[in-house]
Coordinates of all heavy atoms in Angstrom, one line a residue:
M1 N 6.9 -3.4 2.4 CA 5.9 -2.7 1.6 C 6.6 -2.2 0.3 O 6.0 -2.4 -0.8 CB 5.2 -1.6 2.3 CG 4.2 -0.9 1.5 SD 2.7 -1.8 1.3 CE 2.1 -1.9 2.9
T2 N 7.7 -1.6 0.4 CA 8.4 -1.1 -0.8 C 8.8 -2.2 -1.7 O 8.9 -2.0 -2.9 CB 9.6 -0.2 -0.4 OG1 10.5 -0.9 0.4 CG2 9.1 1.1 0.3
D3 N 9.2 -3.4 -1.2 CA 9.5 -4.5 -2.1 C 8.3 -4.9 -2.9 O 8.5 -5.2 -4.1 CB 10.1 -5.7 -1.3 CG 11.4 -5.4 -0.7 OD1 12.1 -4.5 -1.2 OD2 11.8 -6.1 0.3
C4 N 7.1 -4.9 -2.3 CA 5.9 -5.2 -3.1 C 5.7 -4.2 -4.2 O 5.4 -4.6 -5.3 CB 4.7 -5.2 -2.1 SG 4.7 -6.6 -1.0
V5 N 5.9 -2.9 -3.9 CA 5.7 -1.9 -4.9 C 6.7 -2.1 -6.0 O 6.4 -2.0 -7.2 CB 5.9 -0.5 -4.2 CG1 5.9 0.6 -5.3 CG2 4.8 -0.2 -3.2
R6 N 8.0 -2.3 -5.7 CA 9.0 -2.5 -6.7 C 8.6 -3.7 -7.6 O 8.8 -3.6 -8.8 CB 10.4 -2.8 -6.1 CG 11.1 -1.6 -5.5 CD 12.5 -2.0 -5.1 NE 13.0 -1.0 -4.1 CZ 13.4 0.2 -4.4 NH1 13.3 0.6 -5.6 NH2 13.8 1.0 -3.4
E7 N 8.1 -4.8 -7.0 CA 7.8 -6.0 -7.8 C 6.6 -5.6 -8.8 O 6.6 -6.0 -9.9 CB 7.4 -7.1 -6.9 CG 7.0 -8.4 -7.6 CD 6.7 -9.5 -6.7 OE1 7.3 -9.6 -5.6 OE2 6.0 -10.4 -7.2
I8 N 5.6 -4.9 -8.3 CA 4.4 -4.6 -9.1 C 4.8 -3.6 -10.2 O 4.3 -3.7 -11.3 CB 3.3 -4.0 -8.2 CG1 2.8 -5.1 -7.2 CG2 2.2 -3.4 -9.0 CD1 2.1 -6.3 -7.9
L9 N 5.7 -2.7 -9.9 CA 6.0 -1.6 -10.8 C 7.2 -2.0 -11.7 O 7.9 -1.2 -12.3 CB 6.3 -0.3 -10.1 CG 5.0 0.3 -9.4 CD1 5.4 1.6 -8.7 CD2 3.9 0.5 -10.4
G10 N 7.6 -3.3 -11.7 CA 8.7 -3.7 -12.6 C 10.1 -3.5 -12.0 O 11.0 -3.2 -12.8
G11 N 10.3 -3.6 -10.7 CA 11.6 -3.4 -10.2 C 12.2 -2.0 -10.4 O 13.4 -1.9 -10.6
T12 N 11.3 -1.0 -10.3 CA 11.8 0.4 -10.5 C 13.1 0.6 -9.7 O 13.2 0.2 -8.5 CB 10.7 1.4 -10.1 OG1 11.2 2.7 -10.3 CG2 10.3 1.3 -8.6
S13 N 14.0 1.3 -10.3 CA 15.2 1.7 -9.6 C 15.1 3.0 -8.9 O 16.1 3.5 -8.2 CB 16.4 1.8 -10.6 OG 16.1 2.8 -11.6
L14 N 13.9 3.7 -9.0 CA 13.7 4.9 -8.3 C 13.8 4.7 -6.8 O 13.3 3.7 -6.3 CB 12.4 5.5 -8.7 CG 12.2 5.9 -10.1 CD1 10.8 6.4 -10.4 CD2 13.2 7.1 -10.5
R15 N 14.3 5.7 -6.1 CA 14.3 5.6 -4.6 C 12.9 5.7 -4.1 O 12.2 6.7 -4.4 CB 15.2 6.7 -4.1 CG 15.4 6.6 -2.6 CD 16.5 7.4 -2.1 NE 16.7 7.2 -0.7 CZ 16.2 7.9 0.3 NH1 15.4 8.9 0.0 NH2 16.4 7.6 1.6
I16 N 12.5 4.7 -3.4 CA 11.1 4.7 -2.8 C 11.3 4.9 -1.3 O 11.9 4.1 -0.6 CB 10.4 3.4 -3.1 CG1 10.3 3.2 -4.6 CG2 9.0 3.4 -2.4 CD1 9.7 1.8 -4.9
T17 N 10.7 6.0 -0.8 CA 10.6 6.2 0.6 C 9.2 5.9 1.1 O 8.3 5.8 0.3 CB 11.0 7.7 1.0 OG1 9.9 8.5 0.6 CG2 12.3 8.1 0.3
P18 N 9.0 5.9 2.5 CA 7.7 5.6 3.0 C 6.7 6.7 2.6 O 5.5 6.4 2.5 CB 7.9 5.6 4.5 CG 9.3 5.2 4.7 CD 10.1 5.8 3.5
R19 N 7.1 7.9 2.2 CA 6.2 8.9 1.8 C 6.2 9.2 0.3 O 5.5 10.1 -0.1 CB 6.6 10.2 2.5 CG 6.7 10.1 4.0 CD 5.3 10.3 4.6 NE 5.4 10.2 6.1 CZ 4.5 9.5 6.8 NH1 3.5 8.9 6.2 NH2 4.7 9.4 8.1
T20 N 6.8 8.4 -0.5 CA 6.8 8.5 -1.9 C 5.4 8.2 -2.5 O 4.9 7.1 -2.1 CB 7.8 7.7 -2.6 OG1 9.1 8.0 -2.1 CG2 7.8 7.8 -4.1
S21 N 4.8 9.0 -3.3 CA 3.5 8.7 -3.8 C 3.6 7.6 -4.8 O 4.4 7.6 -5.7 CB 2.9 9.9 -4.5 OG 1.8 9.6 -5.3
L22 N 2.8 6.5 -4.6 CA 2.8 5.4 -5.6 C 2.3 5.8 -6.9 O 2.7 5.3 -8.0 CB 1.9 4.3 -5.0 CG 2.3 3.8 -3.6 CD1 1.4 2.7 -3.2 CD2 3.7 3.3 -3.6
V23 N 1.4 6.8 -7.0 CA 0.9 7.3 -8.3 C 2.1 8.0 -9.0 O 2.2 7.8 -10.2 CB -0.2 8.3 -8.0 CG1 -0.7 9.0 -9.3 CG2 -1.4 7.6 -7.3
T24 N 2.9 8.7 -8.3 CA 4.1 9.4 -9.0 C 5.0 8.3 -9.6 O 5.6 8.5 -10.6 CB 4.9 10.2 -8.0 OG1 4.0 11.2 -7.5 CG2 6.1 10.9 -8.6
L25 N 5.1 7.1 -8.9 CA 5.9 6.1 -9.4 C 5.3 5.3 -10.6 O 6.0 4.4 -11.1 CB 6.2 5.1 -8.2 CG 7.1 5.6 -7.1 CD1 7.1 4.6 -6.0 CD2 8.5 5.9 -7.6
G26 N 4.1 5.6 -10.9 CA 3.5 5.0 -12.1 C 2.3 4.0 -11.7 O 1.9 3.2 -12.6
L27 N 1.8 4.0 -10.5 CA 0.8 3.1 -10.1 C -0.5 3.5 -10.9 O -0.9 4.6 -10.9 CB 0.5 3.2 -8.6 CG -0.5 2.2 -8.1 CD1 0.1 0.8 -8.0 CD2 -1.1 2.6 -6.8
D28 N -1.0 2.5 -11.6 CA -2.3 2.7 -12.4 C -3.3 1.7 -11.8 O -3.0 1.0 -10.8 CB -2.1 2.5 -13.9 CG -1.6 1.2 -14.3 OD1 -1.6 0.2 -13.4 OD2 -1.1 1.0 -15.4
S29 N -4.5 1.7 -12.4 CA -5.6 0.9 -11.8 C -5.2 -0.6 -11.8 O -5.5 -1.3 -10.9 CB -6.9 1.2 -12.5 OG -6.8 0.9 -13.9
L30 N -4.6 -1.1 -12.9 CA -4.3 -2.5 -13.0 C -3.2 -2.8 -11.9 O -3.4 -3.9 -11.2 CB -3.8 -2.8 -14.4 CG -3.3 -4.3 -14.6 CD1 -4.4 -5.2 -14.3 CD2 -2.8 -4.4 -16.0
N31 N -2.2 -2.0 -11.8 CA -1.2 -2.3 -10.8 C -1.7 -2.1 -9.4 O -1.2 -2.8 -8.5 CB 0.0 -1.4 -11.0 CG 0.9 -1.8 -12.2 OD1 0.9 -3.0 -12.6 ND2 1.5 -0.9 -12.8
A32 N -2.7 -1.3 -9.2 CA -3.3 -1.1 -7.9 C -4.0 -2.4 -7.5 O -3.9 -2.8 -6.3 CB -4.3 0.1 -7.9
V33 N -4.7 -3.0 -8.4 CA -5.4 -4.3 -8.2 C -4.3 -5.4 -7.9 O -4.5 -6.1 -6.9 CB -6.3 -4.7 -9.3 CG1 -6.8 -6.1 -9.2 CG2 -7.4 -3.7 -9.5
R34 N -3.3 -5.4 -8.7 CA -2.2 -6.4 -8.4 C -1.6 -6.2 -7.1 O -1.4 -7.2 -6.3 CB -1.1 -6.3 -9.5 CG -1.7 -6.8 -10.9 CD -0.6 -6.6 -12.0 NE 0.6 -7.4 -11.7 CZ 1.8 -7.0 -12.0 NH1 2.0 -5.9 -12.7 NH2 2.8 -7.7 -11.7
L35 N -1.3 -5.0 -6.7 CA -0.7 -4.7 -5.4 C -1.7 -5.1 -4.2 O -1.3 -5.8 -3.3 CB -0.3 -3.3 -5.2 CG 0.3 -2.8 -3.9 CD1 1.6 -3.7 -3.6 CD2 0.7 -1.4 -4.0
R36 N -2.9 -4.8 -4.4 CA -3.9 -5.1 -3.4 C -4.0 -6.6 -3.2 O -4.0 -7.1 -2.1 CB -5.3 -4.5 -3.8 CG -6.4 -4.8 -2.7 CD -7.7 -4.1 -3.0 NE -8.2 -4.4 -4.4 CZ -8.9 -5.5 -4.7 NH1 -9.3 -6.3 -3.7 NH2 -9.3 -5.6 -5.9
V37 N -4.1 -7.3 -4.3 CA -4.2 -8.8 -4.2 C -3.0 -9.4 -3.6 O -3.0 -10.3 -2.8 CB -4.5 -9.4 -5.6 CG1 -4.3 -10.9 -5.6 CG2 -5.9 -9.0 -6.1
M38 N -1.8 -8.9 -4.0 CA -0.5 -9.4 -3.4 C -0.5 -9.2 -1.9 O -0.2 -10.1 -1.1 CB 0.7 -8.6 -4.0 CG 2.0 -9.0 -3.4 SD 3.4 -8.0 -4.0 CE 3.6 -8.7 -5.6
L39 N -1.0 -8.0 -1.4 CA -1.0 -7.7 0.0 C -2.0 -8.5 0.7 O -1.8 -9.0 1.8 CB -1.3 -6.2 0.2 CG -0.1 -5.3 -0.2 CD1 -0.6 -3.8 -0.1 CD2 1.1 -5.5 0.7
E40 N -3.2 -8.7 0.1 CA -4.3 -9.5 0.7 C -3.8 -10.9 0.9 O -4.0 -11.5 2.0 CB -5.5 -9.5 -0.2 CG -6.3 -8.2 -0.1 CD -7.5 -8.2 -1.0 OE1 -7.5 -9.0 -2.0 OE2 -8.4 -7.5 -0.8
N41 N -3.1 -11.5 -0.1 CA -2.6 -12.9 0.0 C -1.5 -13.0 1.0 O -1.5 -14.0 1.8 CB -2.1 -13.3 -1.4 CG -3.2 -13.6 -2.4 OD1 -4.4 -13.8 -2.0 ND2 -2.9 -13.5 -3.6
S42 N -0.6 -12.0 1.1 CA 0.5 -12.2 2.1 C 0.0 -11.9 3.5 O 0.6 -12.4 4.4 CB 1.6 -11.3 1.7 OG 1.3 -9.9 1.8
L43 N -1.0 -11.0 3.7 CA -1.4 -10.6 5.0 C -2.6 -11.4 5.5 O -3.0 -11.4 6.7 CB -1.8 -9.1 5.0 CG -0.6 -8.2 4.8 CD1 -1.2 -6.8 4.6 CD2 0.4 -8.3 5.9
G44 N -3.3 -12.1 4.6 CA -4.5 -12.9 4.9 C -5.7 -12.0 5.4 O -6.4 -12.4 6.3
M45 N -5.8 -10.9 4.7 CA -6.9 -10.0 5.1 C -7.4 -9.3 3.9 O -6.8 -9.2 2.8 CB -6.4 -8.9 6.1 CG -5.4 -8.0 5.5 SD -4.8 -6.7 6.7 CE -6.2 -5.6 6.7
S46 N -8.7 -8.8 4.0 CA -9.3 -8.1 2.9 C -8.8 -6.6 2.9 O -8.8 -6.0 4.0 CB -10.8 -8.2 3.0 OG -11.4 -7.4 2.1
I47 N -8.6 -6.0 1.8 CA -8.2 -4.6 1.7 C -9.1 -3.9 0.8 O -9.4 -4.4 -0.3 CB -6.7 -4.5 1.1 CG1 -5.7 -5.1 2.1 CG2 -6.4 -3.0 0.9 CD1 -4.3 -5.2 1.7
D48 N -9.7 -2.8 1.2 CA -10.6 -2.0 0.5 C -10.1 -1.7 -0.9 O -8.9 -1.2 -1.0 CB -11.0 -0.8 1.2 CG -11.7 -1.0 2.5 OD1 -12.2 -2.2 2.7 OD2 -11.8 -0.1 3.4
G49 N -10.9 -1.8 -1.9 CA -10.4 -1.5 -3.3 C -9.9 -0.1 -3.5 O -8.9 0.0 -4.3
G50 N -10.4 0.9 -2.9 CA -10.0 2.2 -3.2 C -8.9 2.8 -2.3 O -8.5 3.9 -2.4
I51 N -8.5 1.9 -1.3 CA -7.5 2.4 -0.3 C -6.2 2.9 -0.9 O -5.6 3.8 -0.4 CB -7.3 1.4 0.8 CG1 -6.7 2.1 2.1 CG2 -6.4 0.3 0.4 CD1 -7.6 3.1 2.7
L52 N -5.8 2.3 -2.0 CA -4.5 2.7 -2.6 C -4.6 4.1 -3.2 O -3.6 4.8 -3.4 CB -4.1 1.8 -3.7 CG -3.7 0.4 -3.1 CD1 -3.5 -0.6 -4.3 CD2 -2.4 0.5 -2.3
W53 N -5.8 4.6 -3.4 CA -6.0 6.0 -3.9 C -6.1 7.0 -2.8 O -5.8 8.2 -3.0 CB -7.1 6.0 -4.9 CG -7.0 5.0 -6.0 CD1 -7.8 4.0 -6.2 CD2 -6.0 5.0 -7.0 NE1 -7.3 3.2 -7.3 CE2 -6.2 3.8 -7.8 CE3 -4.8 5.7 -7.3 CZ2 -5.4 3.4 -8.8 CZ3 -4.0 5.4 -8.3 CH2 -4.3 4.2 -9.1
T54 N -6.6 6.5 -1.6 CA -6.8 7.4 -0.5 C -5.6 7.4 0.4 O -5.3 8.4 1.2 CB -8.1 7.1 0.3 OG1 -8.0 5.8 0.8 CG2 -9.3 7.3 -0.5
K55 N -4.8 6.4 0.4 CA -3.5 6.2 1.1 C -2.4 5.8 0.1 O -1.9 4.7 0.2 CB -3.7 5.2 2.2 CG -4.8 5.3 3.1 CD -4.6 6.5 4.1 CE -5.8 6.5 5.1 NZ -5.7 7.7 5.9
P56 N -2.0 6.7 -0.8 CA -1.2 6.4 -1.9 C 0.3 6.3 -1.6 O 1.2 6.5 -2.5 CB -1.5 7.4 -2.9 CG -1.7 8.6 -2.1 CD -2.5 8.1 -0.9
T57 N 0.7 6.2 -0.3 CA 2.1 6.0 0.0 C 2.3 4.7 0.8 O 1.3 4.2 1.4 CB 2.6 7.2 0.9 OG1 2.0 7.2 2.1 CG2 2.4 8.5 0.1
A58 N 3.5 4.2 0.9 CA 3.8 3.0 1.7 C 3.4 3.3 3.2 O 2.8 2.5 3.9 CB 5.2 2.6 1.5
A59 N 3.8 4.5 3.7 CA 3.5 4.8 5.1 C 2.0 4.9 5.3 O 1.5 4.4 6.3 CB 4.2 6.1 5.4
G60 N 1.3 5.6 4.5 CA -0.2 5.7 4.6 C -0.9 4.4 4.6 O -1.7 4.1 5.4
L61 N -0.5 3.5 3.6 CA -1.1 2.2 3.5 C -0.7 1.3 4.7 O -1.6 0.6 5.2 CB -0.6 1.6 2.2 CG -1.3 0.3 1.8 CD1 -2.8 0.4 1.7 CD2 -0.7 -0.2 0.5
T62 N 0.5 1.4 5.1 CA 0.9 0.6 6.3 C 0.1 1.0 7.5 O -0.3 0.2 8.3 CB 2.4 0.8 6.6 OG1 3.2 0.3 5.4 CG2 2.9 0.0 7.8
D63 N 0.0 2.3 7.8 CA -0.8 2.8 8.9 C -2.2 2.3 8.8 O -2.8 1.9 9.8 CB -0.8 4.3 8.9 CG 0.5 4.9 9.4 OD1 1.3 4.2 10.1 OD2 0.7 6.1 9.2
W64 N -2.8 2.3 7.6 CA -4.2 1.8 7.5 C -4.3 0.3 7.8 O -5.2 -0.1 8.5 CB -4.7 2.1 6.0 CG -6.1 1.7 5.8 CD1 -7.2 2.5 6.1 CD2 -6.6 0.5 5.3 NE1 -8.3 1.8 5.7 CE2 -8.0 0.6 5.2 CE3 -5.9 -0.7 4.8 CZ2 -8.7 -0.5 4.8 CZ3 -6.7 -1.7 4.4 CH2 -8.1 -1.6 4.3
I65 N -3.3 -0.4 7.3 CA -3.3 -1.9 7.5 C -3.1 -2.2 9.0 O -3.8 -3.0 9.6 CB -2.2 -2.6 6.7 CG1 -2.6 -2.5 5.2 CG2 -2.0 -4.0 7.1 CD1 -1.5 -3.0 4.2
M66 N -2.2 -1.4 9.6 CA -2.0 -1.6 11.1 C -3.2 -1.4 11.9 O -3.6 -2.1 12.8 CB -0.8 -0.8 11.6 CG 0.5 -1.1 10.9 SD 1.2 -2.6 11.5 CE 1.8 -2.1 13.1
H67 N -4.0 -0.3 11.5 CA -5.2 0.0 12.2 C -6.2 -1.1 12.0 O -6.9 -1.6 12.9 CB -5.8 1.3 11.6 CG -7.2 1.6 12.1 ND1 -7.5 2.0 13.4 CD2 -8.4 1.5 11.5 CE1 -8.8 2.1 13.6 NE2 -9.3 1.8 12.4
R68 N -6.4 -1.6 10.7 CA -7.3 -2.7 10.4 C -6.9 -4.0 11.2 O -7.8 -4.8 11.5 CB -7.3 -3.0 8.9 CG -8.0 -2.0 8.1 CD -9.5 -2.1 8.2 NE -10.1 -3.4 7.9 CZ -10.5 -3.8 6.7 NH1 -10.5 -3.0 5.6 NH2 -10.9 -5.0 6.5
M69 N -5.7 -4.2 11.4 CA -5.2 -5.4 12.1 C -5.3 -5.2 13.7 O -5.0 -6.2 14.4 CB -3.8 -5.8 11.7 CG -3.7 -6.2 10.2 SD -2.1 -6.6 9.7 CE -2.0 -8.3 10.2
G70 N -5.6 -4.0 14.1 CA -5.8 -3.8 15.5 C -4.5 -3.3 16.3 O -4.5 -3.3 17.5
Y71 N -3.5 -3.0 15.5 CA -2.3 -2.5 16.1 C -2.3 -1.0 16.4 O -1.3 -0.5 17.0 CB -1.1 -2.9 15.3 CG -0.9 -4.4 15.2 CD1 -1.1 -5.1 14.1 CD2 -0.4 -5.1 16.4 CE1 -0.9 -6.5 14.0 CE2 -0.2 -6.4 16.3 CZ -0.5 -7.1 15.2 OH -0.3 -8.5 15.1
R72 N -3.2 -0.3 15.9 CA -3.4 1.2 16.1 C -4.8 1.4 16.5 O -5.7 0.9 16.0 CB -3.1 1.9 14.8 CG -1.7 1.7 14.2 CD -0.9 2.9 14.5 NE 0.6 2.7 14.3 CZ 1.2 2.6 13.2 NH1 0.6 2.5 12.1 NH2 2.5 2.4 13.2
E73 N -4.9 2.3 17.5 CA -6.2 2.6 18.1 C -7.0 3.5 17.2 O -8.2 3.3 17.1 CB -6.1 3.2 19.5 CG -5.6 2.2 20.5 CD -5.6 2.7 21.9 OE1 -6.2 3.7 22.2 OE2 -4.8 2.2 22.7
E74 N -6.4 4.5 16.7 CA -7.1 5.5 15.9 C -6.7 5.4 14.4 O -5.5 5.1 14.1 CB -6.8 6.9 16.3 CG -7.3 7.2 17.7 CD -7.0 8.7 18.1 OE1 -6.8 9.5 17.2 OE2 -7.0 8.9 19.3
Q75 N -7.6 5.6 13.5 CA -7.4 5.6 12.1 C -6.6 6.8 11.8 O -7.0 7.9 12.1 CB -8.7 5.6 11.3 CG -8.5 5.7 9.8 CD -8.6 4.3 9.1 OE1 -9.1 3.4 9.7 NE2 -8.1 4.2 7.9
P76 N -5.4 6.7 11.1 CA -4.7 7.9 10.8 C -5.4 8.8 9.8 O -6.2 8.3 9.0 CB -3.4 7.4 10.1 CG -3.5 5.9 10.0 CD -4.8 5.5 10.7
A77 N -5.2 10.1 9.8 CA -5.9 11.0 8.9 C -5.4 10.9 7.5 O -4.4 10.4 7.2 CB -5.6 12.4 9.4

């Protein structure tokens, strides 16, 4: 997930942890669409348009995706 973020944000050299806010790293609406499309293509699934704003970290987004794919029973808060 962090490699996708680095690619979208221009190979940022900032340290990205699972809990780093993508907004803090410079994610804007255009980059959010690019990231969503990249993830949809690589995962073969549809991703809600606003999810990057409600789950703006790699960990939050990963948890949401895992839930959608059936690997988690409960949707994380």
Side-chain angles (χ1 to χ4, degrees):
M1 180 72 65
T2 56
D3 289 339
C4 291
V5 171
R6 282 185 203 288
E7 184 175 333
I8 294 297
L9 297 178
T12 180
S13 62
L14 296 174
R15 185 165 186 267
I16 301 173
T17 70
R19 303 276 180 224
T20 302
S21 168
L22 303 180
V23 176
T24 301
L25 293 173
L27 187 75
D28 59 16
S29 58
L30 177 59
N31 285 333
V33 171
R34 290 177 60 211
L35 180 57
R36 182 176 53 86
V37 169
M38 177 186 286
L39 293 172
E40 286 177 337
N41 290 337
S42 66
L43 297 171
M45 65 180 284
S46 173
I47 296 176
D48 298 342
I51 197 63
L52 292 170
W53 306 114
T54 59
K55 306 287 184 187
T57 65
L61 188 55
T62 299
D63 285 343
W64 183 86
I65 290 170
M66 297 288 283
H67 172 72
R68 286 284 305 266
M69 296 178 84
Y71 295 108
R72 298 257 164 70
E73 289 184 20
E74 294 183 20
Q75 177 99 20

